[in-house]
């Protein structure tokens, strides 16, 4: 097998398009693409041309001769996919739609949110002649969760920012950063100054557990903890309880594994990344030796992806263990359970930090008076309902895990967008193929909920932009109500403090320059005032 995908890739399908023999699947439009943890290279059809390697924005594809020992299981994953899903059609795919011929005159679109969903929406729009896009974000920096959510030890995933840099360099693109909709501008302002508005505001809050003690100091959301170690300006000054020997993470998705890795990582290894300096200092003084990751359901239903589990199990110097393998569960039922069953056989090494994966366990109460001292948990068992769905229900008895830090990682949730309808159940804006109403659209997590990977937003944005262009061609969009040029004024132009593309590039240069002498990709500026000062002056405050 010449080439192998080695982790949860960005799923933006650049490699699929680049492949001359259509050997990378599932492809967009094929069953399973939207839900796939990763893509796979057909070992029999690959012609060893390397086009996919060049196309991949996050360096997820490697020749089989360059796989590290921990990456060798990906060979078996690729082969197993094609044994179960043979692809006989080798006709190269045509994934790039032809640009439309739009009605005469400029099309002005405001995008709210500068994360992956917003950037991919801008890219889809700018592929058409005569389109101008202004991307707004309440932070002085763009890229959303790619900057503030991806774990610092996953620097390769952050290489997708190179693609975003290409998008923001296109003619017709502009930024209005440090502009909050509802504070500096309002929905009606955007509608008056543009033909259309696309909201790509993500899912910025976390889901609650709904148990006693959840708000005690030391009980925090993984969302906030991740933002802290990634230098998000809203969280950089936070203090977290790292003076205990055990932390407990509730939930077992990829974010839970990220948090567990960072808490147990060698701080000197993290010092070579772009982790926030304040978080690095705190982690150097951490007493945490064990992180327990709880899952309400069983190993087969775990929410993390197989590539993330593989990477976890291959950590150097960290024991990764599975506690109490459920009776009756076939260890080789799926690649996930096979990997977990192997972890369940490992023997801990005395003195090592450890990550313990524990299934069929649910939190019932956070304990403590002035701060967290423990977490009460109960065993669960799986029951099948009449409709075939499986749910976890409490079993007999409870126990207490002593801990001073409880992190809930049970999912993100969208917030209500002023001026738009909102579904409280799903935490999303109701829409039809991204269209809320002619002139108002959504994409990303606020559209579909917190599912998918970075590249999933590309397919999502394509659908939304298609709906917008359909409305433009049909004459359903109202043109800007006034001249929005800086000379003429207008609501957008009136936000004088907004950070534009030049300001963001000044921040980017300053962070990279500070990181270079330390062998780091960048040293993040985490204070909002310092970010704004750097954007204005081009120099990092001393």
């Amino acid at each position: 097998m010449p080439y192998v995908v080695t982790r949860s890739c960005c799923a933006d399908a650049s490699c699929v398009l680049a492949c001359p023999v259509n050997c990378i699947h599932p492809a967009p439009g094929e069953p399973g693409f939207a839900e796939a943890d990763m893509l796979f290279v057909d070992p029999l059809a690959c012609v060893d041309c390397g086009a996919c390697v060049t196309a991949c924005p996050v360096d997820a594809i490697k020749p089989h001769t360059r796989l590290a020992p921990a990456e060798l299981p990906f060979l078996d994953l690729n082969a197993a996919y094609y044994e179960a899903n043979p692809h006989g059609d080798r006709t190269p795919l045509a994934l790039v739609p032809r640009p439309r011929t739009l009605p005469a005159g400029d099309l002005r679109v405001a995008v709210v949110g500068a994360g992956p969903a917003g950037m991919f929406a801008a890219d889809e729009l700018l592929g058409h002649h005569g389109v101008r896009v202004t991307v707004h974000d309440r932070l002085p920096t763009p890229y959303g969760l790619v900057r503030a959510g991806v774990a610092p030890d996953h620097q390769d995933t952050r290489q997708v920012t190179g693609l975003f840099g290409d998008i923001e360099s296109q003619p017709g693109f502009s930024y209005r950063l440090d502009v909050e909709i509802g504070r500096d501008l309002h929905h009606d302002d955007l509608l008056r100054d543009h033909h259309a508005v696309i909201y790509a505001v993500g899912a910025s809050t976390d889901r609650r557990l709904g148990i006693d003690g959840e708000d005690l100091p030391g009980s925090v959301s993984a969302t906030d903890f991740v933002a802290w170690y990634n230098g998000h300006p809203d969280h950089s000054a936070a203090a977290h309880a790292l003076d205990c020997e055990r932390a407990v993470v509730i939930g077992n998705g990829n974010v839970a594994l990220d948090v567990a890795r960072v808490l147990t990582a060698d701080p000197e290894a993290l010092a070579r990344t772009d982790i926030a300096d304040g978080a690095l200092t705190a982690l150097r003084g951490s007493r945490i030796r064990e992180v327990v990751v709880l899952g309400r359901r069983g190993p087969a239903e775990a929410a993390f992806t197989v590539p993330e589990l593989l990477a976890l199990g291959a950590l150097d110097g960290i024991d990764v263990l599975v506690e109490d393998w459920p009776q009756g569960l076939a260890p080789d039922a799926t690649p996930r359970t096979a990997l977990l069953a192997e972890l369940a056989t490992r023997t801990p090494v005395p003195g090592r930090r450890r990550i313990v994966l524990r299934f069929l366990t649910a939190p019932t109460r956070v304990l403590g008076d002035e701060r967290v001292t423990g977490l009460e948990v109960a065993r669960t068992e799986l029951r099948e309902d009449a409709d075939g769905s499986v749910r976890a229900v409490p079993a007999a008895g409870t126990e207490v895990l002593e801990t001073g830090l409880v992190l809930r990682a049970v999912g993100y949730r969208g917030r209500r967008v002023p001026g738009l309808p909102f579904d409280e159940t799903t935490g999303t804006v109701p829409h039809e193929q991204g269209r809320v109403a002619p002139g108002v659209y959504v994409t990303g997590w606020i559209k579909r909920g917190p599912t998918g990977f970075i590249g999933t937003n590309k397919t999502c944005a394509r659908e939304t932009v298609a709906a917008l262009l359909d409305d433009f061609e049909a004459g359903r969009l109202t043109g800007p109500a006034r001249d929005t040029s800086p000379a003429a004024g207008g609501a957008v132009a009136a936000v004088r403090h907004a950070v534009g593309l030049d300001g963001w590039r000044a921040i980017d240069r300053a962070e990279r320059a500070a990181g270079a002498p330390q062998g780091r990709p960048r040293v993040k500026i985490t204070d909002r005032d310092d970010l704004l000062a750097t954007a204005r002056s081009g120099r990092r405050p001393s």
Side-chain angles (χ1 to χ4, degrees):
M1 178 189 296
Y3 287 92
V4 185
V5 180
T6 59
R7 65 176 183 277
S8 292
C9 49
C10 67
D12 83 336
S14 297
C15 59
V16 179
L17 177 63
C19 179
V21 293
N22 188 20
C23 75
I24 303 177
H25 298 276
E30 293 180 346
F33 174 75
E35 301 82 19
D37 287 353
M38 58 188 294
L39 305 184
F40 302 91
V41 181
D42 190 333
L44 299 179
C46 179
V47 295
D48 197 16
C49 69
C52 57
V53 177
T54 303
C56 179
V58 295
D59 289 347
I61 306 176
K62 296 183 179 181
H64 76 287
T65 54
R66 292 181 55 195
L67 294 177
E71 294 170 329
L72 291 176
F74 287 104
L75 284 167
D76 296 332
L77 286 178
N78 272 267
Y81 173 81
Y82 286 98
E83 289 175 2
N85 303 276
H87 285 268
D89 178 13
R90 299 298 169 199
T91 304
L93 299 178
L95 296 178
V96 179
R98 293 178 179 274
R100 300 193 191 195
T101 302
L102 300 178
D106 288 342
L107 171 61
R108 298 175 185 173
V109 181
V111 175
V112 181
M119 297 303 292
F120 283 128
D123 192 36
E124 290 292 327
L125 286 161
L126 293 170
H128 302 277
H129 180 71
V131 179
R132 286 191 281 167
V133 178
T134 303
V135 176
H136 303 73
D137 201 282
R138 72 178 190 87
L139 293 180
T141 56
Y143 306 163
L145 286 180
V146 171
R147 178 178 169 95
V150 173
D153 60 347
H154 278 7
Q155 289 297 310
D156 45 5
T157 302
R158 291 205 176 143
Q159 291 182 34
V160 73
T161 58
L163 177 59
F164 296 160
D166 292 339
I167 294 170
E168 65 193 18
S169 297
Q170 295 182 64
F173 182 98
S174 61
Y175 274 134
R176 290 292 183 269
L177 304 174
D178 193 43
V179 173
E180 184 172 347
I181 308 306
R183 181 195 67 186
D184 304 303
L185 290 173
H186 298 278
H187 176 65
D188 290 343
D189 295 325
L190 296 176
L191 286 176
R192 281 193 298 268
D193 286 359
H194 302 85
H195 292 86
V197 182
I198 298 177
Y199 285 90
V201 293
S204 57
T205 61
D206 64 288
R207 295 186 180 276
R208 303 275 295 174
L209 296 171
I211 60 176
D212 289 343
E214 186 172 5
D215 294 319
L216 279 170
S219 172
V220 298
S221 75
T223 306
D224 292 348
F225 192 76
V226 168
W228 168 69
Y229 64 60
N230 275 321
H232 191 294
D234 292 349
H235 300 274
S236 60
H240 294 286
L242 306 181
D243 57 347
C244 50
E245 293 195 356
R246 176 190 288 140
V248 180
V249 183
I250 302 170
N252 59 16
N254 286 348
V255 172
L257 299 194
D258 286 346
V259 169
R261 283 198 326 275
V262 170
L263 282 170
T264 55
D266 179 357
E268 299 316 308
L270 292 175
R272 297 190 290 272
T273 74
D274 63 355
I275 189 171
D277 281 354
L280 180 61
T281 298
L283 289 167
R284 279 180 165 143
S286 171
R287 294 181 55 222
I288 291 174
R289 305 294 298 173
E290 177 182 86
V291 179
V292 179
V293 180
L294 300 182
R296 183 183 299 269
R297 307 215 296 174
E301 295 80 26
F304 48 69
T305 61
V306 170
E308 288 299 317
L309 179 61
L310 273 170
L312 189 77
L315 289 176
D316 186 29
I318 304 293
D319 283 334
V320 180
L321 311 168
V322 172
E323 185 177 292
D324 297 338
W325 186 261
Q327 293 184 353
L329 177 63
D332 58 351
T334 66
R336 178 184 281 103
T337 55
L339 290 168
L340 289 169
E342 188 276 322
L343 295 176
T345 66
R346 293 187 180 182
T347 302
V349 177
R352 278 188 177 180
R353 294 182 297 276
R354 67 176 64 177
I355 297 171
V356 180
L357 305 179
R358 180 167 171 175
F359 299 96
L360 296 172
T361 305
T364 57
R365 185 163 51 118
V366 180
L367 305 176
D369 294 323
E370 296 182 355
R371 57 165 290 179
V372 172
T373 58
L375 179 68
E376 183 184 82
V377 299
R379 286 295 190 179
T380 63
E381 58 186 28
L382 299 181
R383 291 183 184 173
E384 186 172 340
D385 292 334
D387 62 0
S389 61
V390 177
R391 59 191 176 97
V393 297
T398 62
E399 64 178 296
V400 173
L401 301 177
E402 292 185 5
T403 180
L405 179 61
V406 173
L407 294 147
R408 60 180 182 273
V410 291
Y412 292 91
R413 177 178 170 81
R415 286 179 171 171
R416 180 179 292 275
V417 180
L420 272 63
F422 190 70
D423 186 328
E424 292 287 352
T425 301
T426 63
T428 61
V429 173
H431 65 91
E432 183 177 342
Q433 295 180 314
R435 180 191 294 108
V436 181
V440 182
Y441 307 86
V442 288
T443 189
W445 282 0
I446 196 63
K447 170 186 173 183
R448 67 181 191 273
T451 61
F453 308 103
I454 293 171
T456 311
N457 293 293
K458 189 169 188 176
T459 306
C460 184
R462 184 174 296 135
E463 179 187 63
T464 294
V465 169
L468 186 158
L469 296 179
D470 286 345
D471 288 344
F472 185 53
E473 291 178 328
R476 291 189 285 265
L477 302 185
T478 302
R482 55 192 170 194
D483 184 352
T484 59
S485 66
V492 171
V495 183
R496 302 299 181 186
H497 65 78
V499 174
L501 178 57
D502 288 344
W504 156 237
R505 286 178 170 167
I507 293 170
D508 185 46
R509 285 194 301 271
E511 291 183 338
R512 291 179 184 275
Q518 303 177 42
R520 301 174 65 182
R522 68 176 66 237
V523 174
K524 286 180 176 175
I525 302 170
T526 61
D527 179 81
R528 183 185 289 269
D529 290 340
D530 288 347
L531 284 165
L532 295 175
T534 304
R536 289 191 298 268
S537 68
R539 296 188 301 274
R540 187 185 187 109
S542 57

